[in-house]
Amino acid sequence: MQTLCIDIGGTGIKAIVLDAAGQPRGERLRVLTPRPATPEAVLAAMEEPLAGLGEFDRVAVGFPGVVVDGVTRTAPNLDPAWQGFPLAARLTERTGKPVRVANDAGVQGLAVIEGTGVELVLTLGTGMGFALYTSGHYVPNIEMGHHIFRGRRTYEDRVGEPARARVGNKRWRRRVLQVIAALAPVFNYRVLYIGGGNARLLDPAELPENVRVVDNVAGLLGGLKLWA
Ligand code: BGC
């Protein structure tokens, strides 16, 4: 059983085929997210992974927005045209294979959580992803990134990639610590995992003891768990 795992991001679209044990079959592919990132443009950009990564039996997609029953509802860092787009159905039409789609942070967490107590995932990339799990069960589509953090600014405004590029890594790291300090007394999580392309810019020594930085490749590996 081979699973084509795709992680659609604001900057890049990553893909890999994994076997049932989670071992990669062949290379990992990354293509740039087209701009404007409309559904049709992103589907066109996905042709390379769909056609070039060899055989697969099913597809798992992490999507950077709200997803309900395979239909995308929002995509703040892609394009407004994703509202109400039947992504799973369109990919099934294209591949002839069953397709599951979920929020990218939710998928990422499936690869790293331990499955006990309350676990939280933040992804720091173009946007800020958030996922909550209780005893291993994912609570979908909590969009903490768009919650007000300070003044009129949201969490994502403060720690998304445009903010990091503007204020520099040092101030951005301080902001991430403020985000953690705001979430900790609200969610009382056992563990918080931080992934996403910018997680590697954090200094693990600065983080509270129940906060762990995880490899961004989890965004792909979690796809297998979507089918578990
Ligand atoms: C979206 C989330 C997504 C995050 C990371 C946010 O802007 O609203 O759904 O998980 O970006 O891609």
Side-chain angles (χ1 to χ4, degrees), residues 72-150:
T72 60
R73 300 287 180 203
T74 65
N77 295 301
L78 295 180
D79 194 90
W82 284 95
Q83 191 185 337
F85 187 77
L87 180 56
R90 282 291 299 274
L91 285 173
T92 294
E93 224 169 78
R94 161 65 183 79
T95 60
K97 309 289 183 197
V99 178
R100 288 188 182 170
V101 186
N103 174 264
D104 54 357
V107 172
Q108 169 126 19
L110 292 176
V112 299
I113 56 165
E114 291 166 344
T116 49
V118 174
E119 295 173 276
L120 215 78
V121 170
L122 286 186
T123 64
L124 300 172
T126 311
M128 186 192 100
F130 178 95
L132 172 67
Y133 307 80
T134 69
S135 306
H137 296 285
Y138 171 48
V139 184
N141 296 319
I142 302 180
E143 290 282 278
M144 189 58 64
H146 302 291
H147 192 55
I148 292 296
F149 183 61
R150 290 207 171 166

Side-chain angles (χ1 to χ4, degrees), residues 162-175:
R164 190 205 60 79
R166 212 170 40 242
V167 304
N169 287 346
K170 194 165 166 234
R171 273 178 68 193
W172 176 82
R173 274 198 289 269
R174 209 158 56 219
R175 288 180 174 192

